[in-house]
Amino acid sequence: MVQNLAISIGNANSYVAAGQGGGIEILLNEFSNRATPSMVAFADHARCIGVEASSNFFMNIKNTIYDIMVLLGKPYKEVKAEQYPFKIEEAPDGGILVVVRHLGEERKFDMTQVLAMLFTKLRYIAKDSIDCVLSCPQYYSDLQKSALIQAALIAGLNPLQVITDMSAVVLNYAYYRTTKEDPPKFMAFINFGQSNLQCVVACLTPQEDTATIIAAESEPIGGSDFDKLLADHFIKKHNLTLNQKSYLKLVASCEKLKRNLSANSNEIPLSVESLISEEQDFNSRIERATFEELAKDLFQRIEDCFKRTLESAKAQTEFELAGVEMVGGSTRIPAIRRIIQDVFKIQPSTTLNTDEAVARGCVLHCATLHPGTKVKRDIKVLGANPYSAALQCDKNHRRVELELINHDRKHVSRTEARNNLEEYIYSARSTLPDGDEFKSNLSNTLDWLFSDHGEEATEEEYTKKLTELKDAKSLIDGANSKNSQNDCKMQQDDGQVQQENGQMEQGDVQMQQENGQTQQNDNQTSQNDCQMSQDDVKDSQNDRQNSQLSNHLSEDKC
């Protein structure tokens, strides 16, 4: 379990950071992303939070809640409800209620409950660690900070303190970009995100491990204002008439266009599929110079905020800036960097992680609060006024959240059971030949799965169907295995008979060989007898010759 946990809720994205292994790590969500979109969507069967809500935004815009940190703790009268696709009503206490359709009925949630749902998701990313430090914009009132803490309590977290975004950035810089030997210096820090601009001037005293914020200013302007500015420009230029969904689609495309304009000064194309109608796309072009001319009023407001910060700091003390550090995604706009250089007379730097600087600073602050953690440098950020309140968790909201969590878990389990059944059917079918007995069982189950009853079946029914298929497959495999064994036994018996026949044939051949050898012996005996007869005849002839010779000798004597 994580000891030093920090959660940075941005208006566009949220980050979960933890102190692990002597360093700071940004924890990944279930999609292996470092950033989790700050969105909560409601559907008929379950809630979708984070990446899922963002991915399905244009298919469910009336039930997807965004701008959570902008709306949190605001009175209904200060909100332009018509600019949002989801329905907003005034709560009995004058706050905000969002009206959505969930679990087949209309339901109402206040913004604290919606933020608690996002916290529940982020707590899951943190593997259910609860002790944490939270961040908030520096312009937040105590009422908004209390709502932030209440949302964390509803989600089951234990927020130790709430610090401002800029306090976290200053702490991050002081810890990693200064050493104990450095002399005191004054730094300006700028955080320009999706919905707001924050700027501070701080005096860093590394030898004393302190950082004092001497001036702070904010302006309710962010990257989304530039996106809407571009969208309104194209609508006016091309005389477009768009519904709310098409307008939001154009704004999302303009956000990507803005990024391309920040990286390229030449003319950039814009293409939005099926914007005007299902069969009609939208195409246009714009260059950076035109964009900067359109946004000159916004740039002026940004410049004024920087000047107010600098003037407020100089009213406190005389100083000379040593540097300007920028964080936040909207600082990537080239014109913003030029304005910073013009106002502060220093080239801005980005030595900190632009998107994660706040979350990392919160981890450092959490480490100083946690009794089980020892940090190398216990840097104090003075003038930041960290907020903590001994609030009691709203039990009714906590009960509702637990009910929704339980329902979401059941829906996830049901979906997994259905997917397991479907995956097994397709996997098994791919290995079976046509006409196989078990293949018909799979086809019947697949037809049931996509029938009305199968679509609405429970987790238990899916699990039962899968078990039945596996049991049937085991029986068929067992029968096939037994038949295979019998066939193998018959083949072995046939082989043994063939072997015995082979041995008999070998015996016959051997007998034939022996008979042949006997005949050869008889022939040899016959030949020997003939030779003996010839020798006898020869001996008789010799005897006759000898007898005749003897007679001749006798006659000679006479």
Side-chain angles (χ1 to χ4, degrees):
M1 184 175 289
V2 177
Q3 284 187 340
N4 303 313
L5 179 67
I7 299 178
S8 172
I9 304 287
N11 201 54
N13 294 301
S14 299
Y15 294 87
V16 180
Q20 293 182 341
I24 297 176
E25 181 180 351
I26 301 297
L27 305 183
L28 306 181
N29 58 29
E30 71 274 27
F31 295 92
S32 298
N33 297 333
R34 301 167 76 86
T36 299
S38 301
M39 287 185 174
V40 177
F42 299 88
D44 287 337
H45 298 290
R47 299 176 298 178
C48 299
I49 305 173
V51 177
E52 288 183 281
S54 177
S55 300
N56 299 319
F57 175 70
F58 291 108
M59 294 184 289
N60 191 27
I61 62 171
K62 291 186 177 181
N63 295 296
T64 302
I65 313 302
Y66 59 93
D67 272 2
I68 298 175
M69 294 299 284
V70 171
L71 298 174
L72 182 68
K74 270 193 174 181
Y76 175 79
K77 295 179 180 179
E78 296 182 9
V79 177
K80 296 180 180 179
E82 67 278 0
Q83 72 180 10
Y84 292 100
F86 49 88
K87 187 178 179 181
I88 297 178
E89 291 183 356
E90 184 174 5
D93 60 357
I96 296 172
L97 288 176
V98 293
V99 183
V100 296
R101 186 161 187 82
H102 184 47
L103 303 180
E105 62 181 7
E106 184 178 271
R107 304 193 66 173
K108 298 179 181 181
F109 301 99
D110 61 36
M111 292 310 300
T112 303
Q113 288 179 279
V114 176
L115 180 58
M117 297 173 191
L118 180 58
F119 271 131
T120 297
K121 182 70 172 183
L122 300 177
R123 176 184 169 182
Y124 171 78
I125 295 174
K127 297 178 174 57
D128 285 334
S129 297
I130 59 173
D131 294 338
C132 61
V133 165
L134 310 177
S135 69
C136 71
Q138 66 183 11
Y139 58 80
Y140 256 29
S141 64
D142 286 349
L143 178 63
Q144 290 174 302
K145 293 177 183 178
S146 296
L148 184 69
I149 292 177
Q150 184 61 242
L153 293 173
I154 293 171
L157 293 169
N158 178 34
L160 304 176
Q161 274 187 354
V162 176
I163 63 174
T164 66
D165 296 337
M166 300 312 294
S167 299
V169 173
V170 172
L171 178 58
N172 188 357
Y173 185 91
Y175 191 90
Y176 286 107
R177 298 293 181 267
T178 65
T179 64
K180 293 281 287 185
E181 293 75 24
D182 291 344
K185 62 179 179 179
F186 287 86
M187 292 282 299
F189 296 91
I190 296 169
N191 184 358
F192 191 24
Q194 194 248 13
S195 64
N196 62 78
L197 170 65
Q198 304 174 69
C199 181
V200 301
V201 173
C203 177
L204 307 182
T205 312
Q207 296 174 354
E208 300 177 3
D209 280 338
T210 61
T212 305
I213 296 177
I214 59 176
E217 291 291 338
S218 303
E219 185 69 21
I221 181 176
S224 60
D225 293 284
F226 292 95
D227 304 336
K228 295 173 183 176
L229 180 73
L230 285 170
D232 294 339
H233 164 71
F234 289 118
I235 290 173
K236 183 178 180 180
K237 179 180 178 180
H238 297 275
N239 195 24
L240 300 177
T241 302
L242 304 177
N243 57 29
Q244 198 164 37
K245 181 177 180 179
S246 296
Y247 176 74
L248 292 173
K249 197 173 183 180
L250 179 59
V251 170
S253 298
C254 286
E255 180 185 5
K256 299 176 183 178
L257 175 66
K258 178 189 66 180
R259 295 177 184 174
N260 290 332
L261 287 171
S262 298
N264 302 277
S265 60
N266 55 319
E267 196 173 52
I268 303 296
L270 172 68
S271 179
V272 187
E273 184 179 356
S274 303
L275 180 69
I276 302 173
S277 66
E278 290 294 330
E279 300 178 354
Q280 189 174 1
D281 303 335
F282 173 75
N283 296 281
S284 189
R285 305 179 73 87
I286 192 173
E287 59 183 12
R288 184 192 291 175
T290 305
F291 164 66
E292 292 179 352
E293 179 63 25
L294 292 170
K296 62 182 180 180
D297 291 339
L298 295 177
F299 290 141
Q300 186 60 53
R301 291 173 57 189
I302 294 169
E303 183 178 345
D304 292 343
C305 180
F306 294 157
K307 288 180 178 179
R308 290 198 307 270
T309 308
L310 198 56
E311 291 170 359
S312 177
K314 288 183 177 180
Q316 299 290 330
T317 183
E318 291 292 330
F319 64 90
E320 183 177 347
L321 280 179
V324 178
E325 186 72 23
M326 304 185 307
V327 298
S330 296
T331 57
R332 296 183 176 96
I333 300 175
I336 301 298
R337 298 176 180 240
R338 291 199 302 269
I339 294 173
I340 293 174
Q341 188 168 2
D342 291 341
V343 173
F344 295 99
K345 309 303 180 185
I346 294 177
Q347 181 71 27
S349 63
T350 54
T351 61
L352 300 179
N353 187 296
T354 303
D355 300 313
E356 303 169 1
V358 174
R360 292 177 180 275
C362 289
V363 171
L364 293 173
H365 187 68
C366 186
T368 63
L369 299 176
H370 203 286
T373 304
K374 184 178 180 180
V375 294
K376 294 180 180 179
R377 298 173 63 190
D378 186 3
I379 299 176
K380 304 296 184 183
V381 180
L382 308 177
N385 299 322
Y387 184 83
S388 58
L391 299 178
Q392 294 293 325
C393 177
D394 189 313
K395 293 183 179 180
N396 183 55
H397 285 174
R398 177 61 176 163
R399 177 186 58 78
V400 172
E401 178 63 17
L402 290 175
E403 290 176 356
L404 293 174
I405 291 173
N406 185 51
H407 188 277
D408 289 345
R409 288 175 177 172
K410 288 182 178 180
H411 176 72
V412 170
S413 298
R414 175 185 174 277
T415 302
E416 289 179 352
R418 188 185 193 283
N419 291 341
N420 290 339
L421 175 59
E422 186 176 354
E423 181 181 356
Y424 178 82
I425 292 173
Y426 285 119
S427 177
R429 284 180 63 181
S430 64
T431 61
L432 297 175
D434 293 337
D436 188 276
E437 177 184 356
F438 186 59
K439 200 167 187 177
S440 61
N441 292 353
L442 296 174
S443 298
N444 293 335
T445 305
L446 189 64
D447 292 340
W448 171 85
L449 189 63
F450 288 99
S451 66
D452 292 339
H453 179 67
E455 292 287 353
E456 300 297 329
T458 63
E459 177 188 355
E460 290 74 16
E461 289 179 287
Y462 293 136
T463 303
K464 182 180 178 181
K465 288 285 185 181
L466 181 59
T467 302
E468 290 174 352
L469 287 177
K470 289 183 176 181
D471 291 344
K473 186 70 166 61
S474 298
L475 290 175
I476 294 175
D477 289 344
N480 292 336
S481 176
K482 187 174 182 180
N483 293 334
S484 298
Q485 291 177 356
N486 292 335
D487 293 341
C488 184
K489 185 70 166 53
M490 292 177 64
Q491 291 177 358
Q492 290 177 351
D493 293 342
D494 292 341
Q496 186 173 359
V497 171
Q498 291 177 357
Q499 186 177 6
E500 292 175 352
N501 291 335
Q503 291 176 352
M504 292 177 64
E505 290 177 356
Q506 289 179 355
D508 293 339
V509 170
Q510 186 174 1
M511 289 179 63
Q512 291 176 359
Q513 289 177 348
E514 291 176 353
N515 291 334
Q517 184 66 35
T518 302
Q519 291 178 357
Q520 288 179 357
N521 293 336
D522 292 342
N523 291 336
Q524 185 66 36
T525 302
S526 300
Q527 290 178 357
N528 292 337
D529 292 340
C530 291
Q531 184 66 34
M532 291 176 65
S533 297
Q534 290 176 357
D535 291 342
D536 291 342
V537 171
K538 190 173 181 181
D539 289 341
S540 298
Q541 290 177 352
N542 290 334
D543 290 341
R544 283 197 300 270
Q545 288 178 355
N546 291 331
S547 177
Q548 289 176 358
L549 181 59
S550 297
N551 291 334
H552 284 304
L553 289 175
S554 297
E555 289 178 356
D556 289 340
K557 288 178 177 183
C558 292

